[in-house]
């Protein structure tokens, strides 16, 4: 199994990770997939002591993650870093006309990964950003998001990170049940969507 006794697991990302966590309580995990992962892991492996931290921030793009990486990652000394970022780099292009190029996205993401490898030598888990085709306009987002997903895949390979192809997984399960079963708006998961992400994460670390 990927996790071992006394590991510190840090979840990083945007609102999908943030999930309403209480910023005044550094141990609060929010109501989303980080909380589900921590709860299930404790139930499945009570003999292993793992500390789970959530520092996801709603609205963040990869550039925002880069700015706060020292205080919200490196100084916390995690042994496992789980990252889900990228959908806001696409979203801001459509609601604010604020475009993030794949090149800039890659440059900032590469900085984050390089710093993590250099200063922590932590295991890295990367999840690709995703969007489901509900509501209708989300279909147009693929033009912007797909190149960024390819960047995430490329960097995961380059840095030897563990990888969860979340966009493909969410699309696969949206064939079985309507996209609005898994997300409320194509992006933000429902309880079932968070549980699905948690299940895939726990499968990756071989905790299930």
């Amino acid at each position: 199994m990927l996790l071992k006794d006394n590991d510190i697991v840090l979840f990083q990302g945007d609102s999908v990770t943030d999930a309403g966590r209480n910023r005044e309580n550094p141990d609060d995990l929010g109501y989303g997939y980080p909380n589900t992962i921590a709860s299930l892991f404790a139930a499945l492996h009570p003999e292993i002591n793992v500390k789970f931290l959530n520092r996801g921030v709603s609205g963040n793009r990869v550039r925002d993650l880069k700015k706060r990486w020292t205080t919200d990652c490196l100084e916390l000394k995690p042994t496992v870093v789980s990252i889900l970022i990228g959908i806001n780099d696409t979203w801001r292009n459509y609601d604010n006309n604020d475009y993030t190029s794949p090149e800039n996205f890659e440059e900032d993401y590469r900085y984050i990964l390089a710093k993590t490898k250099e200063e922590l030598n932590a295991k890295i888990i990367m999840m690709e950003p995703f969007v489901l085709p509900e509501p209708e306009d989300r279909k147009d987002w693929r033009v912007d998001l797909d190149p960024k997903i390819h960047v995430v895949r490329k960097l995961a390979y380059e840095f030897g990170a563990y990888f969860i192809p979340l966009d493909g997984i969410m699309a696969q399960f949206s064939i079985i049940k309507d996209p609005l079963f898994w997300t409320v708006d194509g992006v933000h998961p429902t309880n079932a969507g968070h549980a699905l992400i948690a299940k895939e994460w726990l499968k990756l670390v071989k905790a299930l």
Side-chain angles (χ1 to χ4, degrees):
M1 186 166 60
L2 186 63
L3 303 186
K4 61 184 188 304
D5 212 30
N6 298 318
D7 265 341
I8 300 173
V9 177
L10 173 65
F11 296 104
Q12 265 293 4
D14 49 41
S15 58
V16 179
T17 303
D18 183 332
R21 68 183 177 88
N22 179 4
R23 308 288 173 79
E24 295 178 9
N25 177 2
D27 293 327
D28 188 68
L29 295 173
Y31 62 79
Y33 75 86
N35 189 26
T36 306
I37 287 169
S39 301
L40 274 172
F41 186 84
L44 292 165
H45 302 283
E47 76 284 0
I48 303 176
N49 294 308
V50 175
K51 174 78 170 174
F52 292 93
L53 300 171
N54 183 355
R55 291 297 183 272
V57 174
S58 182
N60 265 195
R61 290 181 271 184
V62 71
R63 69 184 72 168
D64 303 306
L65 213 52
K66 178 183 178 182
K67 288 175 188 172
R68 60 187 183 84
W69 202 245
T70 297
T71 54
D72 280 358
C73 178
L74 303 179
E75 290 178 0
L76 299 173
K77 300 284 192 288
T79 54
V80 179
V81 179
S82 177
I83 308 170
L84 171 55
I85 196 75
I87 191 58
N88 288 317
D89 295 81
T90 287
W91 203 328
R92 295 296 84 82
N93 186 27
Y94 292 92
D95 68 355
N96 269 359
N97 199 28
D98 186 358
Y99 175 63
T100 301
S101 71
E103 292 77 20
N104 287 339
F105 180 82
E106 179 174 343
E107 180 183 353
D108 290 339
Y109 212 141
R110 181 183 297 279
Y111 171 91
I112 287 166
L113 297 171
K115 278 287 187 183
T116 305
K117 281 287 189 184
E118 288 166 12
E119 299 197 24
L120 298 177
N121 195 31
K123 298 182 181 78
I124 300 172
I125 298 171
M126 295 171 64
M127 293 187 271
E128 63 189 18
F130 65 89
V131 67
L132 296 180
E134 280 287 348
E136 186 71 20
D137 71 329
R138 302 298 192 252
K139 294 176 182 176
D140 299 332
W141 292 16
R142 303 261 30 138
V143 176
D144 186 288
L145 184 62
D146 285 351
K148 293 178 174 71
I149 289 174
H150 289 302
V151 166
V152 175
R153 293 172 181 171
K154 169 187 169 184
L155 290 174
Y157 174 77
E158 182 178 330
F159 282 87
Y162 297 89
F163 179 71
I164 299 176
L166 204 49
D167 187 59
I169 290 166
M170 297 300 281
Q172 175 191 357
F173 278 83
S174 292
I175 293 170
I176 302 168
K177 282 189 180 290
D178 188 272
L180 292 178
F181 180 82
W182 305 108
T183 69
V184 297
D185 56 4
V187 173
H188 296 98
T190 59
N191 287 339
H194 278 294
L196 176 57
I197 296 170
K199 182 189 77 169
E200 295 298 326
W201 197 97
L202 289 165
K203 276 171 56 181
L204 176 82
V205 303
K206 296 180 170 51
L208 285 179

